[in-house]
Amino acid sequence: MKSLFIKAGLASCLALGLPLFQDHALAASSSNVQSKCSSLGILKKGINPSYQHMNCLLTQTAIEAGIPPEIMKAVATQENNSWRQFDKKGKPVISSDKGIGVMQITNQKRYDTEKLKYDIPYNLKAGADLLNDMYSRSDLPSILPKDKDVLETWYFAVMAYNGTKPINSPLYQSTGKVNTNAYQEKVWTHLNSESFLEDTTIRKPAFSVKDFKYDPKNKANIIFLKKTYTLSSLLHQTRYGLKKNDKVIASWDNSNLNEVRIRKSPSTGSSFKWMKKGSQLTITGPYSFDRSLNSSNPFVWYPVSVPGQKGTWYIASSYITKMLSKPTVSPVNSKSRQISGKAVKNSVITVKKGSSRLGTIKTNSTGSFTMNIPLQKAGTVLQVTYKDSKNATSPAAAVKVTAK
């Protein structure tokens, strides 16, 4: 349930001169979202839609707003665990501090109060716009690279959705321990456990008490002393940007898992087969919401073609990652003292011979690279990979050294 800190977040937004969305634009956008989800049902005043209908509304609202749906849904779960706009009597859900509906928007002049109460897409869009406002705040630290598709970069925006008060400090100032009761920490728990089924970990920076300044005895906002953070671990992009013909791999962070289920229909109740981690798949169409409308699965299902298997299979969005392409490498002979090629721009190239690393170099703004190497014997196989800005490593391009 929304606490009083949403008020502080909105007040900060207004004080900073952030742009306020126009009501007619919000209403038009809400209508568009509703239309895209109409196959899952028709919204009726005072009646909550099915779980998967709400899943669609949250997903489409987030995509239209440029927010990862995983973030939008985790915030909605923290605000309103059951994603319900109305109570059993058909009245709008309103918290003790007057937070309204699924996104628990506190009544402000920038919103139409009656629409916030009775128009679900309007309520969701108001929450999405508020999240975007928080992401744009210049007084909050940035997590690099500041790419809205990267889930990790939303940490401080999620905090600010509830308020940058001492209660939401990432660490307890007195002990340096993680503040698991902070709003954004609770949202991160939902993100990891629900959208990613606890098999993929959306990371957070390694904070220090020196990063923040605040007086725990009053309600003044936290002063952020450190303005940028860089994570060395693998960053995670939203899974909702995948398109038909995209190559993906079955991938997750949990090293204890070696297999995952692929299913014959978009539902956890359908028949399945086991597939090994690292298997390559091809997306064959748009994602689907769970076939069981009352299923509490917040993720979506992608149709995929599976090598060696007939027909279309479905895999949960939690378990796939878009596959990086291999770097392109020019031929190398026994007289070559350089290796060159192309990869993703500003990525880090690594060249190996077996387990030995021959060197690394960064590609330029066009993706080209040229690196000096020792002379290699004919028949030697070199492995060339790159690491992109999200710390993801590409498949290796193998280059066999020819005689000259």
Side-chain angles (χ1 to χ4, degrees):
M1 182 172 289
K2 180 72 68 183
S3 75
L4 61 88
F5 300 112
I6 183 64
K7 298 173 183 176
L10 281 170
S12 297
C13 177
L14 293 170
L16 289 167
L18 296 174
L20 302 183
F21 55 80
Q22 296 298 317
D23 187 70
H24 70 275
L26 188 150
S29 176
S30 299
S31 178
N32 185 47
V33 166
Q34 186 171 345
S35 175
K36 289 181 177 179
C37 296
S38 60
S39 64
L40 293 169
I42 303 299
L43 295 177
K44 297 180 181 179
K45 185 176 181 179
I47 299 177
N48 291 304
S50 68
Y51 189 94
Q52 291 305 317
H53 191 179
M54 184 64 81
N55 190 7
C56 179
L57 294 170
L58 282 162
T59 298
Q60 296 301 332
T61 299
I63 289 172
E64 189 160 305
I67 298 171
E70 297 95 336
I71 295 293
M72 181 84 175
K73 295 177 195 181
V75 170
T77 299
Q78 180 57 31
E79 293 296 335
N80 184 318
N81 188 56
S82 58
W83 292 357
R84 293 190 176 276
Q85 181 76 9
F86 306 106
D87 63 20
K88 293 180 180 180
K89 296 181 179 180
K91 301 295 184 181
V93 171
I94 300 176
S95 66
S96 59
D97 72 322
K98 303 190 184 303
I100 300 172
V102 175
M103 299 306 292
Q104 286 289 280
I105 306 299
T106 302
N107 185 20
Q108 297 288 327
K109 292 182 179 179
R110 69 192 295 204
Y111 304 111
D112 182 314
T113 302
E114 290 305 300
K115 287 183 179 179
L116 285 174
K117 290 178 179 178
Y118 294 102
D119 187 333
I120 295 174
Y122 184 92
N123 184 284
L124 303 187
K125 185 59 169 60
D129 282 343
L130 179 55
L131 270 172
N132 267 332
D133 284 348
M134 298 302 103
Y135 194 89
S136 300
R137 279 175 55 171
S138 60
D139 63 320
L140 297 178
S142 297
I143 298 174
L144 304 178
K146 194 166 185 181
D147 180 343
K148 290 179 72 177
D149 281 347
V150 176
L151 304 178
E152 282 84 352
T153 69
W154 284 87
Y155 183 87
F156 288 102
V158 169
M159 174 201 288
Y161 188 87
N162 186 257
T164 57
K165 300 294 181 182
I167 195 172
N168 285 333
S169 173
L171 303 177
Y172 289 112
Q173 195 177 59
S174 59
T175 64
K177 292 184 178 180
V178 174
N179 178 11
T180 57
N181 289 317
Y183 177 85
Q184 70 279 1
E185 294 289 328
K186 293 178 180 179
V187 171
W188 241 240
T189 296
H190 295 307
L191 182 62
N192 286 317
S193 64
E194 293 154 22
S195 282
F196 290 96
L197 303 175
E198 298 184 347
D199 297 322
T200 294
T201 303
I202 309 305
R203 306 288 180 182
K204 299 168 292 185
F207 296 115
S208 165
V209 291
K210 296 179 180 179
D211 296 349
F212 318 102
K213 181 180 179 181
Y214 65 87
D215 182 351
K217 296 180 181 180
N218 65 46
K219 295 181 179 180
N221 287 336
I222 296 169
I223 298 173
F224 299 97
L225 302 177
K226 185 171 180 177
K227 297 300 185 182
T228 59
Y229 293 86
T230 301
L231 300 179
S232 59
S233 56
L234 178 66
L235 302 180
H236 300 84
Q237 282 186 283
T238 177
R239 300 297 194 259
Y240 289 77
L242 297 170
K243 308 293 183 186
K244 183 177 180 180
N245 297 324
D246 277 349
K247 305 296 182 183
V248 298
I249 57 174
S251 176
W252 50 94
D253 296 350
N254 191 333
S255 60
N256 294 320
L257 293 177
N258 295 313
E259 294 181 308
V260 69
R261 292 181 177 94
I262 52 172
R263 298 185 178 274
K264 284 304 295 179
S265 66
S267 171
T268 49
S270 67
S271 59
F272 66 88
K273 287 182 178 291
W274 289 102
M275 186 179 60
K276 290 184 178 180
K277 181 178 181 179
S279 298
Q280 298 182 12
L281 309 168
T282 302
I283 303 293
T284 60
Y287 58 77
S288 300
F289 296 94
D290 202 282
R291 182 163 291 178
S292 175
L293 292 180
N294 290 318
S295 166
S296 59
N297 291 330
F299 50 82
V300 293
W301 299 92
Y302 274 100
V304 293
S305 61
V306 182
Q309 300 290 334
K310 294 182 179 180
T312 297
W313 292 82
Y314 290 85
I315 188 169
S317 55
S318 324
Y319 291 136
I320 52 178
T321 304
K322 188 173 182 179
M323 188 171 68
L324 297 179
S325 59
K326 295 180 181 179
T328 301
V329 185
S330 301
V332 178
N333 61 54
S334 56
K335 299 295 184 181
S336 299
R337 293 184 179 276
Q338 292 183 326
I339 186 169
S340 61
K342 295 201 73 172
V344 173
K345 66 179 182 179
N346 300 321
S347 58
V348 178
I349 296 288
T350 297
V351 180
K352 286 186 174 183
K353 180 175 67 175
S355 60
S356 299
R357 188 171 69 176
L358 299 184
T360 62
I361 194 169
K362 193 172 184 178
T363 61
N364 62 23
S365 59
T366 66
S368 299
F369 70 92
T370 299
M371 189 180 82
N372 294 331
I373 59 171
L375 290 176
Q376 302 295 316
K377 292 181 180 180
T380 300
V381 177
L382 303 179
Q383 302 284 339
V384 183
T385 60
Y386 66 86
K387 182 177 284 189
D388 68 9
S389 62
K390 301 168 188 67
N391 301 318
T393 301
S394 75
V399 182
K400 189 173 184 178
V401 178
T402 59
K404 186 174 180 179

